[in-house]
Amino acid sequence: MTYIIIASLLAVLSWSFVDAVSKLYINKFGKELSSLILLAIGIIPMLLLAMISPYLGNIFFLLFIGFSGGLVLFLGYIFVYKSVPSCGVSNSYILLEIQPIILILFGIFVLGEYISIEKVASIILIFVGISFVMLSKKFKLDKQLVPALMGNVTWAIYWAIIIFAFLYYKNFVLPLLFARIFGALFAYLYYKAKPPKNYYKINLSKSEISIILILILAGLFDGFGNISFAFVSFSNKVVLGSAILSSEPIIIWLIGLIAYHEKITVRQKFGFLVATIGYLLFTLL
């Protein structure tokens, strides 16, 4: 159990870094190029791990999981990264709470893991909090946050697909690697087919080099975070790992306020407070 908690916390820390700095490289390079580089660099830690992992055959299964999982993974980045420039990291990534909730329900109803009534009530609180974040002043859906919502739902679907692959293949490394490779391939095809309106040409200035290094580091951390959570999922602890993962949006929300000085409404603050209370109750009860 200790290893599961440590792996979950490592995933939280890794993804917190990636999401916190995402605004820097998205504003510089755009969502298309940023997604491509992040996905490609994230292959490196998975490839290193795959070199010491056994190959269990069934290449056609790996290709199928790579194609389907990679497509969903890629779409998640494009959707979320579309909201970040306009909505900021605070509002875009508070919607990450959607992922753990979907995965918790997946763990309960599909994988047969247990959850108490108290935790169900906590999940409802998180949903209520997210609803306040998503609604505009007139209590209409904030259209700028819709892509972020779609992206986080898409990422949850990706993990559901990849967890099934882990259970079938009896190994999490190769399905994870194949999905990442295909995700990077889809990002490349999307970038070439639909380049940004203001095509960005890298000129390697001092300021640009620093952003590139941040993006490369983010790719490595993203790959490592995926490996950590994949280990948790492969250990049949999806509910526990997802509960710990719910802390990430709180970290990102605070970073958005402190580091980026992002403005949020009173309603969104209330939504964040309700979602946070729901998360704390979920972890403590």
Side-chain angles (χ1 to χ4, degrees):
M1 185 65 69
T2 302
Y3 290 114
I4 300 301
I5 295 174
I6 292 174
S8 300
L9 290 174
L10 287 175
V12 169
L13 293 175
S14 298
W15 282 333
S16 293
F17 172 80
V18 176
D19 296 340
V21 301
S22 64
K23 189 174 181 178
L24 298 175
Y25 55 74
I26 294 171
N27 286 342
K28 188 71 173 178
F29 302 121
K31 67 180 186 297
E32 294 90 352
L33 184 57
S34 296
S35 300
L36 170 57
I37 296 175
L38 189 82
L39 282 164
I41 295 297
I43 294 173
I44 296 174
M46 298 179 187
L47 187 60
L48 293 175
L49 185 60
M51 292 173 66
I52 59 174
S53 298
Y55 171 62
L56 303 178
N58 206 341
I59 185 64
F60 293 108
F61 173 77
L62 290 173
L63 290 173
F64 172 74
I65 289 299
F67 181 87
S68 56
L71 177 60
V72 178
L73 177 65
F74 150 73
L75 289 175
Y77 283 100
I78 294 299
F79 285 140
V80 173
Y81 282 7
K82 185 175 182 179
S83 289
V84 170
S86 57
C87 301
V89 297
S90 298
N91 287 325
S92 298
Y93 289 117
I94 189 63
L95 299 176
L96 282 169
E97 294 285 9
I98 291 290
Q99 278 191 73
I101 292 174
I102 294 175
L103 290 176
I104 287 168
L105 295 175
F106 173 77
I108 295 168
F109 294 108
V110 179
L111 302 181
E113 298 183 23
Y114 172 76
I115 188 173
S116 65
I117 297 297
E118 292 82 359
K119 291 188 184 296
V120 173
S122 302
I123 291 174
I124 294 174
L125 275 179
I126 294 174
F127 264 121
V128 171
I130 289 174
S131 298
F132 275 97
V133 174
M134 285 287 296
L135 296 175
S136 65
K137 293 180 180 180
K138 296 181 180 181
F139 288 91
K140 294 182 179 180
L141 186 66
D142 189 337
K143 294 182 180 179
Q144 290 183 319
L145 283 173
V146 171
L149 176 64
M150 293 172 59
N152 281 288
V153 172
T154 302
W155 275 336
I157 295 172
Y158 160 75
W159 278 108
I161 293 173
I162 210 73
I163 288 170
F164 271 130
F166 298 163
L167 297 177
Y168 175 83
Y169 196 70
K170 308 300 181 183
N171 181 289
F172 71 87
V173 179
L174 290 180
L176 196 68
L177 174 62
F178 271 70
R180 188 81 181 195
I181 291 174
F182 271 88
L185 177 61
F186 283 122
Y188 173 76
L189 294 175
Y190 181 74
Y191 177 70
K192 296 299 289 185
K194 186 182 178 183
K197 292 181 180 179
N198 298 321
Y199 188 81
Y200 190 84
K201 185 177 181 180
I202 298 177
N203 53 40
L204 296 180
S205 62
K206 289 184 178 180
S207 61
E208 189 174 80
I209 290 175
S210 63
I211 300 298
I212 292 174
L213 291 176
I214 289 174
L215 179 51
I216 292 173
L217 192 60
L220 294 173
F221 271 95
D222 189 55
F224 182 73
N226 275 266
I227 292 172
S228 299
F229 192 72
F231 169 75
V232 173
S233 303
F234 185 67
S235 303
N236 294 321
K237 296 296 181 183
V238 175
V239 172
L240 175 61
S242 299
I244 296 175
L245 192 64
S246 299
S247 63
E248 184 196 346
I250 300 172
I251 298 172
I252 302 303
W253 193 82
L254 294 174
I255 291 175
L257 294 182
I258 298 171
Y260 294 112
H261 306 289
E262 294 177 349
K263 296 181 180 180
I264 59 173
T265 65
V266 174
R267 168 188 47 77
Q268 289 173 327
K269 289 180 181 178
F270 175 75
F272 170 77
L273 179 61
V274 172
T276 303
I277 292 173
Y279 163 71
L280 291 175
L281 290 175
F282 187 92
T283 54
L284 295 176
L285 294 177

